[in-house]
Amino acid sequence: MPNLTSGRLGPVQNSKMKHVGVFMRVNLLSIAMALCIGLLPWNEKWNTISIIVLFAGVLFDAVIKKRKYRLDLKRFFVGSGVFFVALLWLPLSDDLSTGWSYLERLLTAALFPLLFSMVVKYCKLNIRYIFFAFMASCLFRYLFFLGGLLEFELLFILDYWNEVLIQFNQFFKQKALHPSYFSMYLGFCAIICFYFYSISKSLRQRSFWIGSLFVFLLINLTLASKMPFVATIAALIFGVAFHLYKTSGSRGRKRYIVGLVVGLVAFGVYIYKVPNVIKQDIGNYYDYFSGKNSESLYDYNQYGTNYSLETWNRTNRIHIWKSSISLLKANFLLGVGTGDIRAELNNQYLVDGHPYLSNKDANTHNQYLDYFIKFGIFGFGILLFCFYTYVKSALNKSNPTYLMFLILALMCMFTENILSRQLGIVFFFFFQSLFFFSESKEVKTSACTN
């Protein structure tokens, strides 16, 4: 029996209290947020429901505990600037239905900044729960798709794997999840791995996380989405440079550089040896700009899709961007409004002799062009100020993970309208708000305070 009068507990009671302490430190809000963002790669409807439940839980907690909030309006409006600019420019639209539909998708661009501006006042989130959940979700989502592609009775036939490697490049385009968005998710998973690598102390932990980083890069490559992959590499290069700058001792830096070089060489050999659409497109763009006829390095039909060189020529982003710039010149000052860009751009495609793009309702495939055309120089200037503030905030906090996230997302916006679909809106504004409204350099691990 423990000596109760001494104020000490015996080993069994001590162990129980330790487990209770661990359980109490589990931040339920962090788990709820982890579930919210973890559902995003799986189903947009489930993700929407999880966001509603998350907000309802936070508001209920606020009412029960009678918390009083002092909302920093300036930071809130900057954090949700995209939503309010879209709202202000809605009256300029003739197609109000499309405009309202976009605002409905964009609502989380205001809700997440509101949520995180409230939460960080009384609760320090456990970012590890959120990161782990997002990585696990993306990995299992990939394996789920892969399981539907493989014929398991052929796995032990070596020639079959060559067929699998070829089909890997395009099989996501046949599924519900857009490859560009999922490639961006996997890129952020690689950044998360680097984050855990940078804070790990033991060699075993560091080896695990650097190995995991290259795994996410390899499976990212199979999606054949060029800009998200390049943006991931650019973000990681920045992270490596920052980490080298912070690493003390020449011996540690040398080992770090040697390991990195070995990994990059192995990765480069993989890219060179394995057939993939990225090499195909690089060759096509080289031929295009040099005035040659496009010649395929690999037959597109090998990738198990209806994609062809004819399709590549008709849907090329160069044609899309030329038409988008022509439309921008005609609406430079105030833009076309929040809801009219699709109709205006389709008309411009017809004028420029691209009926195929008009029939397909091809968007600008550049988020900056999209916003410039919608909101003109004034609205676009406001959004540039918002994005500048995000970068400045990351620099002021000396938060490399935040900066790497922004490099990834902002680069992806050059070739995809990331903030036009729920897949991109929720991803960007969830993590952007998480980093932007945190008070510290890194979001700390702690339980909520009462």
Side-chain angles (χ1 to χ4, degrees):
M1 293 289 291
N3 185 354
L4 299 178
T5 58
S6 67
R8 297 180 180 178
L9 296 176
V12 176
Q13 285 77 11
N14 220 350
S15 176
K16 289 182 178 180
M17 289 299 295
K18 182 178 180 180
H19 288 302
V20 171
V22 171
F23 177 76
M24 293 300 292
R25 285 197 298 271
V26 173
N27 189 326
L28 295 179
L29 179 59
S30 298
I31 294 176
M33 288 185 171
L35 178 63
C36 173
I37 195 64
L39 285 172
L40 180 60
W42 291 88
N43 188 284
E44 292 183 18
K45 182 178 180 180
W46 296 349
N47 176 245
T48 300
I49 294 173
S50 69
I51 293 172
I52 294 172
V53 172
L54 174 62
F55 273 91
V58 171
L59 293 176
F60 179 77
D61 180 74
V63 172
I64 293 297
K65 296 184 178 179
K66 298 180 180 179
R67 302 185 189 279
K68 295 181 179 179
Y69 299 104
R70 292 182 180 178
L71 183 64
D72 187 336
L73 288 177
K74 180 180 178 181
R75 285 173 60 82
F76 168 69
F77 281 119
V78 170
S80 53
V82 173
F83 175 81
F84 287 105
V85 169
L87 182 63
L88 288 173
W89 260 256
L90 181 63
L92 297 180
S93 307
D94 293 327
D95 187 354
L96 292 177
S97 176
T98 301
W100 279 116
S101 177
Y102 178 61
L103 280 173
E104 181 182 353
R105 294 195 302 275
L106 199 61
L107 185 60
T108 48
L111 292 180
F112 279 130
L114 178 63
L115 172 67
F116 283 101
S117 65
M118 294 167 54
V119 166
V120 297
K121 298 297 182 182
Y122 70 92
C123 181
K124 294 178 181 178
L125 300 173
N126 191 323
I127 198 172
R128 298 187 184 191
Y129 296 157
I130 298 171
F131 280 177
F132 279 134
F134 187 73
M135 282 194 302
S137 176
C138 290
L139 181 59
F140 281 112
R141 184 60 160 156
Y142 184 88
L143 294 176
F144 175 80
F145 277 131
L146 180 58
L149 173 73
L150 293 176
E151 298 179 29
F152 292 98
E153 66 273 13
L154 302 178
L155 291 181
F156 296 101
I157 301 176
L158 294 180
D159 290 340
Y160 175 67
W161 282 102
N162 185 52
E163 180 71 15
V164 170
L165 288 173
I166 291 174
Q167 291 188 19
F168 258 5
N169 290 269
Q170 292 288 322
F171 82 93
F172 266 83
K173 289 188 177 181
Q174 302 177 35
K175 305 296 181 179
L177 193 59
H178 195 291
S180 295
Y181 292 87
F182 194 54
S183 181
M184 182 172 62
Y185 295 173
L186 292 174
F188 188 56
C189 288
I191 291 173
I192 292 173
C193 290
F194 187 81
Y195 162 76
F196 283 114
Y197 168 82
S198 65
I199 65 174
S200 297
K201 302 299 181 182
S202 69
L203 178 61
R204 179 180 297 180
Q205 290 178 335
R206 289 191 164 213
S207 299
F208 171 81
W209 287 115
I210 203 68
S212 299
L213 186 154
F214 279 104
V215 167
F216 276 111
L217 285 179
L218 287 173
I219 65 176
N220 197 343
L221 182 62
T222 65
L223 303 184
S225 292
K226 296 174 288 298
M227 181 53 77
F229 186 77
V230 171
T232 300
I233 299 299
L236 289 172
I237 288 174
F238 168 82
V240 168
F242 186 89
H243 191 71
L244 282 174
Y245 174 75
K246 291 292 185 179
T247 301
S248 59
S250 59
R251 184 179 178 183
R253 291 184 180 181
K254 287 179 180 178
R255 286 188 299 181
Y256 185 83
I257 293 174
V258 168
L260 181 66
V261 169
V262 170
L264 288 175
V265 169
F267 193 66
V269 170
Y270 176 87
I271 294 177
Y272 180 76
K273 291 291 185 181
V274 176
N276 62 80
V277 174
I278 291 180
K279 286 198 298 183
Q280 167 74 71
D281 280 348
I282 290 174
N284 284 342
Y285 276 113
Y286 176 79
D287 291 341
Y288 183 90
F289 285 113
S290 60
K292 300 178 182 178
N293 293 325
S294 296
E295 297 177 359
S296 59
L297 299 175
Y298 304 97
D299 185 359
Y300 272 120
N301 293 328
Q302 285 183 309
Y303 299 105
T305 69
N306 295 324
Y307 205 60
S308 64
L309 286 174
E310 181 183 2
T311 304
W312 185 90
N313 283 319
R314 287 193 298 176
T315 62
N316 198 293
R317 281 174 169 80
I318 296 172
H319 303 315
I320 294 173
W321 291 337
K322 284 181 178 179
S323 295
S324 298
I325 291 173
S326 297
L327 181 59
L328 171 63
K329 290 178 180 178
N331 300 274
F332 183 80
L333 194 60
L334 293 176
V336 300
T338 303
D340 289 355
I341 186 171
R342 182 173 63 184
E344 294 287 346
L345 194 55
N346 284 340
N347 290 335
Q348 187 66 47
Y349 289 145
L350 294 175
V351 171
D352 295 338
H354 301 298
Y356 181 84
L357 295 175
S358 178
N359 293 335
K360 290 293 184 180
D361 286 330
N363 61 45
T364 60
H365 284 79
N366 182 302
Q367 191 65 71
Y368 305 106
L369 272 177
D370 179 80
Y371 282 154
F372 212 148
I373 294 171
K374 284 179 178 176
F375 310 131
I377 186 65
F378 295 110
F380 185 69
I382 295 172
L383 297 184
L384 280 185
F385 172 77
C386 293
F387 290 144
Y388 164 77
T389 304
Y390 304 157
V391 175
K392 183 179 179 181
S393 175
L395 290 171
N396 290 339
K397 295 175 182 178
S398 298
N399 188 335
T401 309
Y402 186 10
L403 282 167
M404 293 167 74
F405 164 77
L406 289 174
I407 291 171
L408 171 69
L410 296 179
M411 283 187 66
C412 286
M413 291 182 193
F414 280 109
T415 58
E416 199 68 58
N417 290 8
I418 297 299
L419 303 183
S420 294
R421 297 179 58 172
Q422 182 174 339
L423 290 172
I425 294 169
V426 173
F427 170 78
F428 179 77
F429 284 102
F430 180 92
F431 286 111
Q432 154 59 26
S433 301
L434 171 66
F435 290 124
F436 184 65
F437 289 98
S438 63
E439 301 293 336
S440 58
K441 295 181 179 179
E442 292 284 357
V443 182
K444 296 180 179 178
T445 300
S446 176
C448 292
T449 57
N450 295 317

